[in-house]
Each structure stands twice: as structure tokens, then as C-alpha cells.
Amino acid sequence: MGKYKQLAINISIFALNFVATKLITFLLVPLYTYYLSKAEFGLTDMSVTVNMMIAPLATLAIADAVIRFVIENQERSGRYVLTGVVVTFIGVFIVALLLPLLDLPFFGGLGTYRFQYLCTFATSSFFSLFGEIARGFGILKLIPLCAVTSSIITMGLAIVCIAWLNMGANGYFIAVSAGPAIGCLLYLTIGGFGSIIITEIRQMHQNPHKYISVQYADFRSMLRYSLPLVPNSLFWWIGTSINRFFLTGILGVASSGLFAAASKIPGLLSMVYQVFLQAWQISAFQEAHDNPNIFFSRIYSLLRPLMFMAASILMLFSPWIASLLLQKEFYQSWTLIPMLLIAILFNVLNSFVGTIYTTTMKTKGLMITTLIGAASSVILNAALIPICGIIGACYAMAISNILVFLLRIFGTKKILSFDMQWGKFFLATVLLGVQTAIMTIHANAYLPISAVLCTVLVVIEMYGIHQYLALLWHQIATKAEKLFFL
């Protein structure tokens, strides 16, 4: 049970990180929707969307390779760290050269804030890289420290610059750039990453030819792992974020702002999963050389019910949550939330199955399935948004994510087979699908009906995982008893 205990410890650490950082970011949504116009909020969301598109291209997804190779070979970890830093620096420089492209009309006016965007891109790229390095070294307690500090600074500056000084989008960019910058400084000093980088540079100066030749070999190995993840990240971005460009181009940047605001609440589901994923990736990589079939099956049999229950509960309470978080004209977008929850739920399941590809270093299959999902997303967005309006983007996102999920499930059978529990999966999907339809169309008595469906789903799923919950309760009770007698 050692690997499950370690996974639980890792999840606890990343859960603390989530509560202290993502929750703070989430609680800033009312501030943004109150003080920013729909166009300004749409523009800030566009900056995030563009960043998600450019980051893997400019940095060659090197951060993903760094964590994988550091875990695999700690003796050469310093070289991997230096490689990651150099590639990221080059990526920032390339983005700086391409800033004039932000003046194109489908970027919604982001070109006006090109320098602010560059600062945001640079700080977030290095902050993400250093977080992956910390995970690779196993110094997980450092991650919440840096992330909490970054989030507190971001929140404080957002309140000062947006609410007090009324700086609008400029205030937003200042806040989201300064926070990660301070977080990077903590990684470099307290985390000792600066010392590691300096040590590697000194070794390179002592014998440049030998060092560079070895470094080049390491770089090639890292690229063989990360390069398939670059188009995968790009295709994933197309599948999840290209809808912003369609919405901006067809309906205007304000509609993109409404869609972005509605996405914040379903994003909670994704945020919770990210806590699990950060810990899960480490455990999955560490178990890669053993027989992972049972490990994957047990984790999936707990993860899937929890995600379905969370989606159903969020859907039921979405009108009330929206009334707190979505201010003024943004509240009207809450009807998009049920369908977005379906889209995010299957995106979570896609991500879990996708770890089979990354764990076994067969990232080509990951890229192909994401490509198909991206292509379907482009076609569906182009077809549905002119007909259905903003909710057409929700339909497109949900359908493409379901398609990718099915492709990955059947595509990974030859690599690693685990129990999908298809009967329970289909029953939960039907219940959640009916709940989504009832909430979206505002059928008569939609809230009571939604409550009944949610209750039935939760009871069924809880019954299915009661043995895991009983085991967890037994372990907690045993530890509490030991502490009591001590």
C-alpha cells in the first residue's frame, strides 16, 4: 500500500496548494466581473487563451520533459534544469519578436497591451517551469509556499490596481505578472534553483566542449519526449480554447467575455482534478517500471465517481454560485454552465487516460487523439456558433471531448488495460445528461428535478465506492487512536 500512501500524501500537499492559490484566483472572479466591462474581461481572457497557445510552441513543452527526466535520473538533474531554463529564455525572446501579430483583429485588441502580455508570458512560463522542477526533485512543500506567495501578491495588486485605482485591464496585467515573478524569485533562492543553475554554468566553463556535447545529447533525448507534446498541447488548446476566437470573430469580444465568465464555475472541476493530476503524474512515472494495470484501475474506480458527483452537485447549485460570482450582466451566462460541466468532465477523463501515453513514453498516440479532437472542435464551432449562438461553443467543446475520451480508451488497450466499469459509467452519464438538459432548457420545475437526479447519482456512486471510503475511514480512525493513546 506504500504507493497509495505516497499518492495520498502528494495529493494532500497539492490540495493545500489548490486551496491557497486556485481558490484565491477563483474568488477574484467577482472583482473582475464587477469592475471590468464584458469587453475588458474578454480581453483578459484572450490573453490567457493566447498564452496557452503560444507557451508550448515557444518553449517546446520542455517543462514536461524536465520533470520526467529529473525523476528518471537524479544524477544528471542539474543538466536537465539548465536545459529547461535556456529553452524557456529562448522561447520568451521569440515571443517578443512576434508581438506585432497581436494587432490582428481576431485577438480582440490584445495588441494594445503587447508589453504587458509579454511580462505575463515570461513570468508564467518560468513559474510553471520551476514548479515542474520542484515536482521532479520531490520538494513538494516548496510548491505551496511559492504558489501561496504568488497568489497573495496577485490578489493584493488586483484589488489595489483594479478596484482602488480603477486601472482596468492594465491593473489585471500588473497583478498577474508581479505575483508569478515573486514566486520565481522564491524558487531561485529558497528552493536553491539559482544555485543549481550557477553550478551548471561553472561546470560548462571548465570544459565547454565536453559539457556542450553531453548537454546536446541530453537535449535531443528530452526533445524526443517533449516534441510530440508540442502539437498535442496545440491541438488540446484548439479543442478547448479556439471557441474564443470563433466567438470573438462571429459574435464579438463581449460574447467571448460572457463565455469566459461562465467557464469559471465549471473550471472548479478542472481545478480539483489538477490537484490530483500533479500528484498522480509523479506516482504514475514512479510506477512505470512495475505492473501499473491494477494501480490505474483502482485509481480510476475512485476518480470517475468523484468527478461525476462533483459535476452533478456543481450543476445543481450553479444558479446560486453564479449569483455570487458573476456580477451585473455576467449573470445571464449561468445557463451555459451545465453543458460546460459536461465538457470539463470529459476533459478530466481524457487527461487521466492520457497519462497512460506519457507514463509509457508513447506520446505519439496522445498527439493523434488530441489532433482529432482539435479538428472536430474547429468544425463544430464553425457550424454551431452561427446557428446556436454562445451555447454552440459549449456543444462543440462537449462533443469533441467525448470523442477524444472514446478514442483514448480504445487506443490505450494495447498499452495498458484497466477496468472501465462500463455499466456504472453509462448509468452515471445518462443521469448527468438528463440533468444537463433539464437545467439548460429551464424545463418546468427544473431545480427539483435536478435535485432528484443529483441525489440518485450520488447514492449510486457512493454505493460503488463505499469499500474505498470504509478503508479510508479505518485508516484515519486507526491513526487517530494511536495519537490518542500517545
Side-chain angles (χ1 to χ4, degrees), residues 468-480:
Y468 297 102
L469 298 177
L471 178 60
L472 178 62
W473 174 253
H474 175 71
Q475 291 176 343
I476 293 173
T478 302
K479 290 182 179 180

Side-chain angles (χ1 to χ4, degrees), residues 76-221:
R76 304 177 75 167
S77 58
R79 297 180 184 272
Y80 303 140
V81 170
L82 183 60
T83 299
V85 171
V86 171
V87 172
T88 304
F89 262 119
I90 295 173
V92 172
F93 178 73
I94 292 172
V95 170
L97 296 178
L98 298 176
L99 286 177
L101 293 177
L102 294 180
D103 291 327
L104 294 173
F106 54 77
F107 286 113
L110 189 58
T112 307
Y113 301 90
R114 62 178 67 177
F115 175 74
Q116 294 92 322
Y117 169 76
L118 179 63
C119 293
T120 303
F121 174 80
T123 55
S124 64
S125 295
F126 278 104
F127 189 69
S128 180
L129 171 66
F130 292 151
E132 295 299 284
I133 293 172
R135 290 170 62 200
F137 280 125
I139 46 179
L140 303 183
K141 294 180 181 179
L142 177 64
I143 298 174
L145 172 64
C146 297
V148 168
T149 304
S150 172
S151 295
I152 291 175
I153 291 172
T154 298
M155 180 177 67
L157 286 175
I159 294 172
V160 171
C161 296
I162 298 176
W164 291 357
L165 300 181
N166 199 27
M167 295 177 66
N170 275 314
Y172 168 85
F173 283 113
I174 291 172
V176 298
S177 297
I182 299 300
C184 289
L185 185 61
L186 291 178
Y187 276 120
L188 290 169
T189 53
I190 298 177
F193 296 172
S195 176
I196 293 174
I197 295 169
I198 292 173
T199 299
E200 289 300 316
I201 292 175
R202 287 175 177 171
Q203 290 182 4
M204 181 175 63
H205 285 166
Q206 292 175 358
N207 194 340
H209 179 74
K210 180 180 179 181
Y211 187 95
I212 292 175
S213 63
V214 174
Q215 189 79 344
Y216 178 69
D218 289 338
F219 178 57
R220 290 182 59 186
S221 298

Side-chain angles (χ1 to χ4, degrees), residues 301-302 304-310 313 424 427-428 431 454-470 472:
S301 63
L302 185 60
R304 186 205 57 76
L306 291 176
M307 288 296 103
F308 269 84
M309 287 189 289
I313 293 170
K424 296 178 181 179
L427 179 58
L431 288 171
C454 178
T455 301
V456 172
L457 188 148
V458 169
V459 169
I460 292 173
E461 296 290 25
M462 288 293 288
Y463 178 78
I465 62 174
H466 72 278
Q467 68 270 29
Y468 297 102
L469 298 177
L472 178 62

Side-chain angles (χ1 to χ4, degrees), residues 40-55:
E40 284 180 318
F41 190 81
L43 188 144
T44 60
D45 181 69
M46 180 63 72
S47 71
V48 176
T49 301
V50 173
N51 192 47
M52 291 168 61
M53 173 185 68
I54 293 179

Side-chain angles (χ1 to χ4, degrees), residues 41-50 52-53 105-108 236-267 336 340 343-344 377-378 381-382 385 390 392-394 396-397:
F41 190 81
L43 188 144
T44 60
D45 181 69
M46 180 63 72
S47 71
V48 176
T49 301
V50 173
M52 291 168 61
M53 173 185 68
F106 54 77
F107 286 113
W236 176 85
W237 172 86
I238 291 174
T240 58
S241 302
I242 194 68
N243 43 37
R244 266 70 160 185
F245 290 94
F246 279 101
L247 288 168
T248 301
I250 297 172
L251 303 177
V253 71
S255 66
S256 179
L258 288 173
F259 182 88
S263 300
K264 298 300 181 182
I265 295 173
L336 305 175
L340 284 171
I344 296 297
S377 179
V378 170
N381 274 290
I385 290 177
I390 300 178
C394 305
M397 189 175 179

Side-chain angles (χ1 to χ4, degrees), residues 33-34 68 72 270 308 352 401 424 445 473 486:
T33 57
Y34 186 85
R68 187 69 178 90
E72 191 78 18
S270 180
F308 269 84
F352 176 80
N401 283 343
K424 296 178 181 179
W473 174 253
L486 285 175

